[in-house]
Every structure is written in structure tokens, then in C-alpha cells.
Amino acid sequence: MGESVNDDRVLWEVGLPGADDLTPLNLQLIPAELASAFRISPESSKTMTDVNRASQNMFSSLQRWHSQDIASMNNSNFKPFGEERNREETFTEKYETDLTREGSDPRKLRRVESGGTEDADSALCNENCADDTSAKTLNKRPRLVWTPQLHKRFIEVVAHLGIKNAVPKTIMQLMNVEGLTRENVASHLQKYRLYTKRMQGQSDEGPYSSDHLFTSTPAPQSLRESSESVHLRNTNGHIAMPTPMPMIGMANGGHVGMPVGYGVALEAETCQMSFNRGKYHEVFSAASTTYPV
DNA sequence: AGCTCAATAT
DNA sequence: AATATTGAGC
């Protein structure tokens, strides 16, 4: 428990002290008497929320550092997420900071009930909040934007898994994208299957045959009915899909009123992939993966 | 519990 | 148009 913030983001486990061996960070490290004896001004005490937030920040900076290869892997002129660049909060930080509730996967905390904060807010809202129950409390997740980067990883993972094993949960786990839900993947997968089916019927090419988007990426061997992705697994039983990817694809469909910060798929220009007759081409325009009719 | 598919909603 | 949600059947 203590050694990982989230099952999907286990970075290290072996050789590190367990939770029981560590002093909880929300406790004062220096006894009050000792502190005053050395004129150390006491730190403000930390709540679990503070500690969790700090952990999240640390995790995120590690992931940012880690994800530079992802960013540079895409030949594009995208620069790795800059260190000094004003850092966007990750999706997880923004919506799922409360990790204190043990045993519950944070991504399942879809909506949080607000206990009795309807006083001042509801006083301010006069007309259109009757149905909306104060959007703040709903804490709704922005819709996922399947950027080319995300889609590429999706494709890679599906290819790795093979047809039989490419199910939403497994895909989600292998993609290792923070904040990505099974529902996100299921929805995308459904659409993707429809697309591939259409492609099947329309040309001689199967879905995985000549589209270099599908074949260029890692897994030629498992394309055909691989029942084992065992060789991909590491000791955890988790899969060795290396670099965790920060959630960069969240956006609000371009609607107003949403604070900028988590949308922002990389830059104004991103590379859009679209598919025609089993081939793909790249268009520079708005950013999301499309399956043209 | 989870997968898939269709229909529907946003 | 893209994604989410829901519900049914398995």
C-alpha cells in the first residue's frame, strides 16, 4: 500500500522500506522541545491531503522527466514538457488528489458528494442551478481527447495484445496512461472496431495488414492469435509497457467556461491522423484521432 | 465482474 | 463529430 500511490504507477517496490518502517509524513519529525532548543520554528502540521499532494507532485515531476522520451519519440517538433514551462496540473492531480480512502481506486471516485456546502454558493446562484446542483460538486471528468499520441499507444497495445486479449481493462492497464479509465478505452475500442470492420469490408486488407500505423509499431509476432503476452510481463505480473504517459489529452470540446489547463493537447498544432482505405495520412489541424466516413 | 454491441446523450 | 453513458445479453 504505502509503496505505491496507485497500482498503475508502481515505479519502485523492491528494496525500499515499507510503510511501517517509515515515519508518517504528517507527523512532526522534530519533537517540540528539541525544536525550540535549537530555535527551529515549528513546521505547520501537515494533513494527509498535504502529504498526498506532495506525493502527487513528486510523482508527476518524475513522470514528466520520464515522459521526455515519449515526447521526443514522436519525430515532431514538440519539445518535451518543459521544466520551467508553467506546468499544467495533471488530470489526476486536479480530480483525484484524495488518495486517503483506502481500497478504492481513485479513478472510480467519479463524483464526490459535498457535505453541506450549499449555503453560500446556492445563495449566489439564482436561476439555472436548480437542475445543475452546482457543477463544482459534481466534479465531472472532462472528456478524453484521443490525441495521436494516445491513439498511437492504444494501437501499439492492441497490437501487442492480439485480438483475443485486447479487451478494455487490459488495454487500459498496458497503456499506462494516468487517468485513463476502462470506459474511455471501451468506448474508443468500440469505435475502433467499427472502423476496422468497415475497412475489412471495403478493401482486401485486413485491419492489421498493411496499415503501417498498425504494423510499424512493436508487435508483429502477436498479431496472429497470440495467446501469450507473457513475455511482456515483468516480475510484478504487470506488463512491461515502459514509460508512463502523463495525461495530456483532456479537453472540454472547446467549450467556453472551462478553465484552461488540462485540455491543451500539447500545442495549438498537433498531428491528426486519419485513415483512408487502410492507409493513414497526417494532417496538421485540430487534435484528435478520427475515423473518417 | 467484465466484455460487446447498439442506442442514445452530451 | 467525438466521446460518454446506458442497458441488454452473454
Side-chain angles (χ1 to χ4, degrees), chain A residues 18 23 25 33 42 131 178 199 201 227 290 292:
Chain A
T23 303
L25 285 173
E33 305 85 1
D131 48 342
E178 149 178 28
M199 286 347 262
S227 53
T290 59

Side-chain angles (χ1 to χ4, degrees), chain A residues 3-218:
Chain A
E3 59 266 19
S4 72
V5 174
N6 173 323
D7 282 339
D8 293 335
R9 290 180 296 158
V10 174
L11 292 187
W12 324 273
E13 275 181 341
V14 186
L16 291 179
D20 299 336
D21 305 322
L22 296 171
T23 303
L25 285 173
N26 56 337
L27 297 185
Q28 298 282 343
L29 293 178
I30 307 177
E33 305 85 1
L34 191 58
S36 68
F38 286 90
R39 299 169 184 273
I40 297 173
S41 55
E43 255 185 315
S44 60
S45 67
K46 300 290 188 291
T47 67
M48 277 312 291
T49 309
D50 294 325
V51 172
N52 283 325
R53 170 158 283 272
S55 295
Q56 286 285 329
N57 288 338
M58 174 57 84
F59 241 109
S60 297
S61 44
L62 287 170
Q63 288 183 336
R64 230 179 322 133
W65 190 83
H66 215 53
S67 62
Q68 292 187 357
D69 14 343
I70 290 265
S72 53
M73 173 178 96
N74 288 309
N75 58 10
S76 55
N77 34 16
F78 303 145
K79 280 305 149 205
F81 312 99
E83 291 75 13
E84 72 288 344
R85 192 194 179 87
N86 50 354
R87 184 171 98 60
E88 328 280 11
E89 276 186 309
T90 68
F91 184 79
T92 300
E93 284 170 336
K94 191 158 192 74
Y95 293 90
E96 299 169 351
T97 46
D98 185 9
L99 302 179
T100 60
R101 5 193 81 197
E102 74 285 358
S104 72
D105 188 322
R107 71 184 32 140
K108 292 208 176 97
L109 305 174
R110 299 299 293 264
R111 50 204 63 182
V112 181
E113 316 272 356
S114 80
T117 20
E118 78 266 51
D119 34 73
D121 284 333
S122 60
L124 290 177
C125 104
N126 13 21
E127 34 185 1
N128 47 4
C129 68
D131 48 342
D132 199 350
T133 20
S134 108
K136 281 180 208 164
T137 66
L138 284 185
N139 205 21
K140 217 166 155 31
R141 201 182 263 271
R143 26 165 51 197
L144 176 70
V145 174
W146 283 90
T147 62
Q149 288 75 22
L150 259 188
H151 181 68
K152 178 161 183 268
R153 177 161 280 208
F154 171 85
I155 295 299
E156 288 169 357
V157 166
V158 169
H160 260 111
L161 285 173
I163 304 173
K164 295 188 318 188
N165 296 324
V167 296
K169 193 177 185 179
T170 317
I171 297 172
M172 176 198 70
Q173 289 169 154
L174 251 138
M175 283 181 71
N176 195 15
V177 171
E178 149 178 28
L180 187 68
T181 67
R182 192 171 58 83
E183 286 81 4
N184 290 140
V185 175
S187 180
H188 195 63
L189 181 62
Q190 183 173 15
K191 199 178 154 196
Y192 175 73
R193 282 175 173 158
L194 286 176
Y195 160 74
T196 54
K197 204 194 300 180
R198 266 197 288 116
M199 286 347 262
Q200 286 265 33
Q202 186 189 87
S203 75
D204 45 343
E205 305 168 353
Y208 301 110
S209 59
S210 76
D211 189 325
H212 39 303
L213 222 208
F214 302 153
T215 54
S216 67
T217 42

Side-chain angles (χ1 to χ4, degrees), chain A residues 195 199 205 210-212 274-281:
Chain A
Y195 160 74
M199 286 347 262
E205 305 168 353
S210 76
D211 189 325
H212 39 303
S274 49
F275 300 84
N276 274 330
R277 287 186 246 104
K279 306 192 171 183
Y280 82 97
H281 56 273

Side-chain angles (χ1 to χ4, degrees), chain A residues 253-279:
Chain A
H255 290 311
V256 292
M258 206 61 166
V260 282
Y262 37 79
V264 223
L266 289 183
E267 284 298 319
E269 280 188 335
T270 78
C271 173
Q272 172 171 359
M273 287 179 257
S274 49
F275 300 84
N276 274 330
R277 287 186 246 104
K279 306 192 171 183

